[in-house]
Structures are given as C-alpha cells and as structure tokens.
Amino acid sequence: MTPSNTQLAAIKAALFAACLLPAWLLWQGFEADSLGANPIEAITRGLGEWTLRFLLITLAVTPLRKYTGWHWLVRLRRALGLFAFAYGVAHLMSYVWLDQFFDWPAIAKDILKRPFITVGFAALVLMVPLAATSSNFAIRKLGGRKWQSLHRAIYPIAMLGCLHFWWLVKKDITEPLIYSVILAALLGVRMWWREQERRRQLAGAYLPQTPKFKGKVIKIFSE
C-alpha cells in the first residue's frame, strides 16, 4: 500500500496533530488543576515520558517498514524524531523554569550530582546534532553515509532515556522496564539483521558470479 501525495499529506497532518495532543492534554490538566498534588512534577514527568515514547516510535519505523512493506513510513520518521527532540527540550525547560526557577547554580549542581539528571541531560545534548541535521540540505552536505553514522546516535540516546527514567522512579520500575524491553527488542532485531547480512557476505552472496557458458562445444581433436 502506497498512499498518494494527497493521502500522505493528510497522514502527516494527522500525525502532527496526534503528536501535539499529549502536550495539549498536559496543559488542559494544568488549567483544570487535575494533575494531582504536584502538577509541576506531573508536567515534567509527562513530557519526559513522551520524549522516550517518541524515540521508541521513531526506532520502530524501520522494522515496521521492513515487515509490512510500507516503505512510505520512512517519510514520517523525521517528524517523529523532531517531536522527540521538541518534547525533550520542553521536558528540560519545565525542570529549569517550573521546578528550579532558573536557579543556574542549583541546576548545575543537580546535573553533576544526581545521576538520573546527568544521563537525561546527556541524552538531550546528543539529540541536538540529530535535530540540527534533520533536513534534506544537511543530508546532501554530509553525504548519506556520514549522515547515517551520525543518526545512529539515536541508539545510545534511547538507552540513556530508559536509564534516566529507571533511576528517576527508583521503586516501581514497571514502566521503565516496559520501555527497556521494547528498546531491547528494537535494537535486538537490528543486531539480528546485521548478523544475517554478515553471514550473507561470508557466504559470498555479493561476489560477482561467473557467467555460465552458453555456446557450443567444438571438437578439435579426433581420436
């Protein structure tokens, strides 16, 4: 199934609206005072969880495309990755603004001394060059191979995101465990693909094949 340009534009518009929905719901919850006893924590945590979810959804695009044959899905991956970055920035800003009130010495101390903040901050820093090189212009300037190598940083970013969440919750690790299992599956299938590719190469699947002789055999010597 390959959608037309019109259909793809409608899919992209629906995806854009769906990606904005979590932020809108958090804002509505804040306005309605329905986020619990600590609404700032609820907003910060909600934005962080959606950052991780969008990272995992972005990583899921390639396996889904491969196994369904829906190659057009790759055209949605950039938007998903950028939304992951946008939610990550919003997650950081909610901590800097709503939680710490721009107390930079306290923020710097937190980053250095609280491991879950350290890995979370590191993950967001690693996302910056990926967001900055998400355009077609950047792909042309870097070249496809360099661009791909750079954007493989999404793997350690997702790992740091899971670790950040795991260390944050401390006691009930059900949610971070679920995300970690999903990430392990997404990375595991890629490792399996690479192993299959390595075996094909060792078996000589890509070596040039000697053309079969199709002419007639002429008898030169007689008995």
Side-chain angles (χ1 to χ4, degrees):
M1 180 186 73
T2 303
S4 65
N5 290 336
T6 302
Q7 291 171 328
L8 188 59
I11 291 171
K12 287 183 176 181
L15 177 68
F16 189 86
C19 290
L20 287 175
L21 182 60
W24 183 80
L25 290 174
L26 283 171
W27 175 253
Q28 289 297 305
F30 179 75
E31 288 284 294
D33 196 22
S34 61
L35 296 179
N38 193 339
I40 292 175
E41 181 182 352
I43 290 173
T44 303
R45 179 165 171 171
L47 291 170
E49 287 189 31
W50 275 104
T51 303
L52 184 54
R53 288 167 186 162
F54 279 121
L55 282 171
L56 296 178
I57 293 170
T58 304
L59 283 171
V61 168
T62 297
L64 191 59
R65 176 182 63 84
K66 185 177 179 68
Y67 289 122
T68 63
W70 298 349
H71 300 292
W72 56 271
L73 288 173
V74 74
R75 299 174 68 178
L76 307 179
R77 186 169 55 191
R78 179 186 303 176
L80 290 167
L82 287 173
F83 267 108
F85 177 69
Y87 273 84
V89 172
H91 175 57
L92 175 65
M93 291 308 300
S94 66
Y95 162 74
V96 169
W97 178 19
L98 301 177
D99 190 10
Q100 295 294 335
F101 300 102
F102 299 100
D103 186 348
W104 300 112
I107 292 168
K109 185 178 179 180
D110 263 359
I111 292 172
L112 293 174
K113 293 194 174 182
R114 301 176 74 183
F116 80 92
I117 294 181
T118 304
V119 297
F121 184 73
L124 186 60
V125 169
L126 288 174
M127 290 175 73
V128 172
L130 273 63
T133 57
S134 62
S135 65
N136 291 332
F137 173 77
I139 297 174
R140 289 193 299 270
K141 292 293 288 184
L142 289 173
R145 183 169 296 182
K146 288 183 179 179
W147 185 88
Q148 276 191 334
S149 296
L150 173 64
H151 279 252
R152 287 194 183 103
I154 191 174
Y155 305 147
I157 289 168
M159 293 177 191
L160 289 172
C162 286
L163 185 60
H164 170 67
F165 192 18
W166 198 298
W167 284 349
L168 169 66
V169 298
K170 296 178 183 177
K171 294 181 180 179
D172 185 4
I173 62 169
T174 303
E175 282 190 82
L177 180 61
I178 292 171
Y179 293 135
S180 298
V181 169
I182 293 172
L183 176 60
L186 292 171
L187 297 183
V189 73
R190 285 168 166 83
M191 291 175 64
W192 185 73
W193 290 341
R194 294 194 69 174
E195 177 61 19
Q196 294 299 306
E197 180 68 16
R198 187 186 70 85
R199 292 183 180 183
R200 282 193 293 268
Q201 290 177 359
L202 290 175
Y206 303 113
L207 293 176
Q209 300 294 318
T210 304
K212 294 182 179 180
F213 181 73
K214 296 182 180 181
K216 295 181 178 180
V217 176
I218 303 174
K219 191 175 181 179
I220 298 177
F221 299 102
S222 59
E223 296 179 359

